[in-house]
Amino acid sequence: MLQVRENSEPNVNAHTSLLVTGGAPSPMASTSQVVVDAEGNGSISLEVPSIDHHEVKKRTKATVDPNKVDIAKPLRILKKPREIKLKISIIFLFCLIVASTTCILVLYVEEPLHYKVGNAMFYAVSREFDVHLNGANITRGLIGMNLPDMLPSSCDPFDSQNLCLEYPDIARLLIHVEQLSGMDCYNLTWEALSHDLVHRDCYSFENIHWYGGGVSANQQWPLEKMNQSRAPFVSGHKTNSFGPVVERFWLASHGVGIRVNDESPLFVSINEDDQKLCFEATYHDSPFPNPKEELPKLQYTLCAAVDMPSVHQKMMDKFSKKLRAVPQQALSKSPMWSVPACSRKSTFNETTLLQFASAIRDSKLGANSLEIQCDYTTSEGDVAFDAERFSNIATTISRIRDFGMDVAVGITLFMNTDSKAFQEGLRNQYLVEDPRSQVPGLTKWKDGVAGLLDVTSSNATSWFLSQLKTLQNTSGVSFFTFDYGQVSYLPVEFQTMEDLRNPCTFTQRYVELADKTNGPVIMRSAFQSQDIPFIVQTIPKTSVWGYENGLKSLIPTVLTLSILGYPFTMPDLEVRGQHYDPSCFVDCLPDKEFLLRWLGVIAFFPAMKINVPIWEYDQETVNIADQFIKFHQETIAPLVVKVATESGNTTATVIRPLWWTASSDPVAQSMDSEFLIGNDMLVAPVLDLGLVKRQVYLPEGKWVDQLHGTTVNGGAWVECEASLNQVPYFTRA
């Protein structure tokens, strides 16, 4: 029998025993005894020592408590390869993300929120365009105003002199900077990528004054005093937003100028949108032809210099043509008397014409020429005197010339459909056409319908000039005054021999036609004609005192024409009736006070035009008128020629705003009732009803009051008395 027991103490007995051991003893080894009794039966006694579990752990280095059975171990053994694969995949994805992020950070450049080009800054979020000069912000524009709220991306070219930004599928902005001598210029171009986009850039009137653009009936100075609704920027009549002279040039008091490209389909508004001067470009509902259905562009150049006279001269040098000569021949015809505005054709004939001329001579009022403005022909367009009413016109004109007056006649481009000129023009294709049916483009004119001479056709202008030459040879007419060349008189749909991207080119061609005639040139309308020596007549002013095409709008009109490059101006006054119409006599004429204040102002301008029968007033009126006319002839006319000649090849004008010599003076910048002739004569007429004195502002310097002979320090206001026969004016000491 085998007995196994665990005992730390050996069993001791008297029996004989045999100790069996195997090998060397060890702490963990077991011992056994074999015991045989007397009968020969034996037993084996086996002793197993107690187990030290800590020793077992130490020897086996086991991590599992041997007292616990790990039944999940087989499952873990099965899952171990899948966990390894998952860990490898996670590590791979992590590395891929790190690598991708690194590439993005290295290769991607976030679009900035503002861009610097030259000395200007464009802010992409607000779309403000700030122009700096000598460290100062001199103007601020809000550009791209009709774009949706989005940030642009950069495009080529993109460097310190060029900025290219793109609004995907909508528009592209290009800005190129030119740093010229004393002037920085920024060429801005908005390119539409869709026909639906209307480009719109605006420049603020806040703390800055703007001038220029074009003349209008209710002209004011500076422009922030005006309100003009959005309208196409083309020449028009006095009832249109813009008048007969337009130029795409604006000037600002901080030494900034803007010149819009000729081919941009330009719309302009003033103060329509919260104190701003705004430019738009679109072909929708516009007079700008677009036969190729091109996408619109708004292109303009913004230049900055130290002051207004500097930027004016440099930009006029860059964008305008120089005056060829001083129009001394035209100026010598001043004052020009004009037969008052015509309304009853049947009452105007050879007799009444001679009576009017004789009255001028008998009044002993100075006169160098006489204009027959209208209604001398049988039908509008026939360049010839009506044979029934003017059967002996050559003799009549000869007599008028004996009075010391050359005779001029008014010319227009209109040809009534019942005129001989219309029939000849139709046969030879001398007329503006309707592109829809290849027939003359007709327009309403006075009480009928008329076609217009195509001044872009060399054949048409040659024929027309021959008609004018014939009129001069047969009647003795010395020269012509040209009227009604504005775009607004063209048919809504028209086609000319020359393709006109800008319809104002029609007006330009009209001035070029007039320049080919014999004698002085006097025009009403103009566009890019600064090189031609001619006199510009203003919009006929009405006999009212205010700005509504009245007396107070006259100086702003002349100043605007001057900075646009037309220095030789002739103010015109609208008279409701005419001297030779018995139904409208003195009641149709301006009152005495207005007439004398009007004559006092225009006596200081380059050319005078008088269409009021002054001899119908009292003798005091005649005497004062004679005084103003003589002052113009003896003092102002020579001064105008002198100033114009001294200006030479410069763009300095004759009639100048006060800021021309005081560009940083805030009072001079906004002054609209005073002006300079050259730099040394300041004129401040009385423009209010009932006043016989006024406050006059004199810029810095010493000035001599020519009415009272006193010397006054400038930079201040002075009070001047001025009766009806006086106009306050000063000369530099």
Side-chain angles (χ1 to χ4, degrees):
M1 179 180 72
L2 177 64
Q3 295 179 338
V4 180
R5 62 181 179 183
E6 183 175 332
N7 193 350
S8 59
E9 296 179 359
N11 183 26
V12 180
N13 51 50
H15 298 287
T16 304
S17 64
L18 175 66
L19 179 63
V20 181
T21 61
S26 68
M28 297 292 296
S30 61
T31 61
S32 62
Q33 284 182 338
V34 178
V35 180
V36 180
D37 60 10
E39 297 180 356
N41 298 322
S43 63
I44 299 174
S45 177
L46 182 64
E47 295 182 0
V48 180
S50 62
I51 299 173
D52 186 350
H53 294 292
H54 293 288
E55 184 66 21
V56 173
K57 289 181 181 180
K58 184 176 180 181
R59 283 176 173 268
T60 62
K61 298 182 180 179
T63 59
V64 180
D65 190 344
N67 293 324
K68 296 181 181 179
V69 178
D70 188 357
I71 63 174
K73 184 173 182 180
L75 295 176
R76 289 202 308 273
I77 293 172
L78 292 174
K79 290 173 62 178
K80 190 170 184 180
R82 291 163 55 188
E83 290 179 349
I84 292 173
K85 290 181 179 179
L86 180 60
K87 290 179 179 179
I88 293 173
S89 299
I90 293 173
I91 292 172
F92 175 75
L93 289 175
F94 176 76
C95 293
L96 183 62
I97 292 171
V98 171
S100 300
T101 305
T102 303
C103 290
I104 291 173
L105 292 174
V106 171
L107 300 178
Y108 175 75
V109 178
E110 183 181 359
E111 292 294 338
L113 297 180
H114 61 271
Y115 301 84
K116 189 175 188 299
V117 54
N119 291 316
M121 191 75 72
F122 175 65
Y123 297 90
V125 176
S126 63
R127 298 206 184 101
E128 293 179 349
F129 182 59
D130 288 355
V131 179
H132 298 80
L133 186 71
N134 298 329
N137 181 7
I138 60 173
T139 193
R140 169 169 293 174
L142 294 175
I143 66 177
M145 293 183 67
N146 285 344
L147 292 173
D149 291 334
M150 61 186 300
L151 292 177
S153 58
S154 58
C155 48
D156 290 329
F158 193 100
D159 53 46
S160 61
Q161 302 298 306
N162 296 278
L163 175 63
C164 178
L165 299 176
E166 187 163 319
Y167 298 81
D169 301 323
I170 300 175
R172 183 182 297 112
L173 170 63
L174 303 170
I175 302 178
H176 171 67
V177 61
E178 293 181 89
Q179 293 181 324
L180 307 175
S181 176
M183 182 171 70
D184 293 346
C185 289
Y186 301 87
N187 302 310
L188 287 85
T189 301
W190 281 106
E191 297 178 352
L193 304 180
S194 164
H195 282 286
D196 297 329
L197 179 65
V198 178
H199 301 293
R200 182 177 176 83
D201 287 7
C202 295
Y203 288 85
S204 174
F205 285 137
E206 186 177 354
N207 300 320
I208 191 171
H209 303 296
W210 286 89
Y211 318 86
V215 296
S216 63
N218 303 333
Q219 189 70 46
Q220 295 197 44
W221 177 280
L223 289 178
E224 67 263 22
K225 297 179 181 180
M226 299 179 64
N227 292 285
Q228 291 273 26
S229 299
R230 174 185 178 274
F233 194 69
V234 295
S235 55
H237 191 46
K238 65 181 180 181
T239 58
N240 297 104
S241 296
F242 303 101
V245 178
V246 294
E247 292 293 337
R248 299 180 166 206
F249 175 54
W250 288 263
L251 199 64
S253 56
H254 292 173
V256 178
I258 290 178
R259 171 62 161 77
V260 180
N261 182 275
D262 291 336
E263 295 188 358
S264 292
L266 181 63
F267 285 67
V268 174
S269 64
I270 301 172
N271 275 331
E272 186 180 51
D273 184 12
D274 189 28
Q275 291 291 301
K276 295 183 184 69
L277 169 65
C278 294
F279 308 105
E280 292 186 10
T282 180
Y283 289 109
H284 293 302
D285 298 324
S286 84
F288 301 97
N290 188 26
K292 298 180 181 179
E293 296 187 355
E294 297 177 358
L295 293 170
K297 289 184 179 181
L298 176 59
Q299 295 178 284
Y300 60 94
T301 300
L302 186 152
C303 296
V306 293
D307 54 34
M308 278 189 287
S310 297
V311 76
H312 178 270
Q313 178 163 337
K314 293 177 185 297
M315 290 191 74
M316 293 294 283
D317 286 340
K318 182 177 177 64
F319 294 107
S320 298
K321 293 170 284 189
K322 297 287 184 63
L323 179 67
R324 296 199 310 259
V326 177
Q328 295 194 41
Q329 187 179 11
L331 293 171
S332 68
K333 305 303 179 184
S334 176
M336 181 178 77
W337 288 73
S338 180
V339 176
C342 318
S343 63
R344 292 197 178 185
K345 185 174 180 179
S346 60
T347 62
F348 182 42
N349 53 42
E350 220 163 50
T351 302
T352 52
L353 172 62
L354 189 58
Q355 287 176 348
F356 188 77
S358 299
I360 297 173
R361 177 201 59 185
D362 295 343
S363 69
K364 295 183 170 52
L365 296 169
N368 288 331
S369 57
L370 174 63
E371 177 196 35
I372 306 171
Q373 187 175 356
C374 55
D375 282 348
Y376 60 90
T377 64
T378 304
S379 180
E380 187 80 28
D382 290 332
V383 188
F385 281 89
D386 184 338
E388 292 185 6
R389 293 182 290 125
F390 300 93
S391 58
N392 197 18
I393 188 61
T395 301
T396 301
I397 289 179
S398 178
R399 292 186 62 184
I400 294 173
R401 295 182 69 174
D402 290 341
F403 296 162
M405 293 178 282
D406 288 333
V407 175
V409 294
I411 297 295
T412 75
L413 301 177
F414 292 99
M415 301 178 192
N416 283 353
T417 53
D418 62 351
S419 67
K420 295 178 182 178
F422 180 85
Q423 299 302 321
E424 187 170 355
L426 181 61
R427 287 194 305 271
N428 296 288
Q429 296 182 314
Y430 293 155
L431 305 177
V432 173
E433 294 184 344
D434 186 329
R436 297 167 294 187
S437 55
Q438 298 299 310
V439 298
L442 301 179
T443 185
K444 186 177 180 180
W445 175 243
K446 293 186 177 178
D447 296 327
V449 177
L452 285 104
L453 180 75
D454 184 356
V455 293
T456 72
S457 166
S458 59
N459 291 336
T461 55
S462 296
W463 168 75
F464 192 71
L465 288 169
S466 69
Q467 300 294 304
L468 298 181
K469 184 64 175 176
T470 299
L471 176 61
Q472 286 182 305
N473 292 337
T474 57
S475 66
V477 167
S478 298
F479 64 101
F480 306 98
T481 60
F482 296 86
D483 209 342
Y484 303 110
Q486 297 96 300
V487 172
S488 60
Y489 291 112
L490 288 167
V492 176
E493 296 283 344
F494 69 92
Q495 179 176 315
T496 55
M497 184 66 67
E498 178 185 348
D499 290 332
L500 303 180
R501 295 297 302 273
N502 185 339
C504 288
T505 305
F506 187 88
T507 303
Q508 182 182 4
R509 298 290 178 261
Y510 187 28
V511 180
E512 293 170 354
L513 166 66
D515 187 42
K516 296 176 182 177
T517 60
N518 294 326
V521 178
I522 298 176
M523 301 289 305
R524 180 87 63 189
S525 55
F527 175 70
Q528 290 196 2
S529 307
Q530 292 90 346
D531 60 320
I532 297 176
F534 69 99
I535 291 176
V536 180
Q537 290 195 76
T538 68
I539 296 173
K541 299 298 176 183
T542 56
S543 306
V544 297
W545 293 87
Y547 289 100
E548 297 78 19
N549 198 33
L551 183 60
K552 287 188 177 180
S553 69
L554 180 57
I555 293 176
T557 297
V558 174
L559 290 176
T560 300
L561 287 169
S562 293
I563 67 168
L564 294 180
Y566 300 102
F568 307 105
T569 48
M570 176 184 281
D572 194 5
L573 181 65
E574 182 179 279
V575 180
R576 289 172 291 171
Q578 64 278 349
H579 174 59
Y580 51 82
D581 185 352
S583 67
C584 183
F585 200 48
V586 177
D587 291 342
C588 294
L589 302 179
D591 65 68
K592 174 180 177 178
E593 183 180 359
F594 181 90
L595 175 65
L596 293 178
R597 291 306 189 195
W598 170 268
L599 291 173
V601 177
I602 70 172
F604 285 86
F605 288 140
M608 292 182 74
K609 177 179 178 178
I610 304 171
N611 57 1
V612 177
I614 297 174
W615 51 88
E616 300 290 354
Y617 293 80
D618 59 21
Q619 190 59 43
E620 181 187 33
T621 302
V622 174
N623 293 340
I624 295 174
D626 180 58
Q627 171 190 324
F628 286 139
I629 291 171
K630 288 179 178 177
F631 177 78
H632 171 80
Q633 292 176 315
E634 297 170 2
T635 303
I636 299 304
L639 178 61
V640 166
V641 173
K642 178 176 180 291
V643 171
T645 303
E646 288 177 349
S647 298
N649 291 326
T650 71
T651 59
T653 185
V654 175
I655 304 299
R656 302 172 186 176
L658 262 61
W659 53 250
W660 195 268
T661 60
S663 60
S664 61
D665 187 330
V667 178
Q669 290 173 358
S670 60
M671 178 58 66
D672 67 348
S673 63
E674 303 177 19
F675 60 91
L676 297 170
I677 304 177
N679 288 337
D680 298 330
M681 180 181 286
L682 185 148
V683 185
V686 175
L687 305 174
D688 290 289
L689 174 65
L691 295 186
V692 291
K693 60 183 177 180
R694 65 158 290 173
Q695 294 291 319
V696 177
Y697 180 75
L698 299 173
E700 289 290 342
K702 289 188 178 296
W703 297 87
V704 177
D705 182 346
Q706 293 296 324
L707 292 183
H708 305 98
T710 58
T711 300
V712 185
N713 290 324
W717 293 87
V718 296
E719 185 176 272
C720 292
E721 294 184 357
S723 58
L724 290 178
N725 67 333
Q726 294 177 316
V727 175
Y729 75 102
F730 299 76
T731 56
R732 289 190 187 272

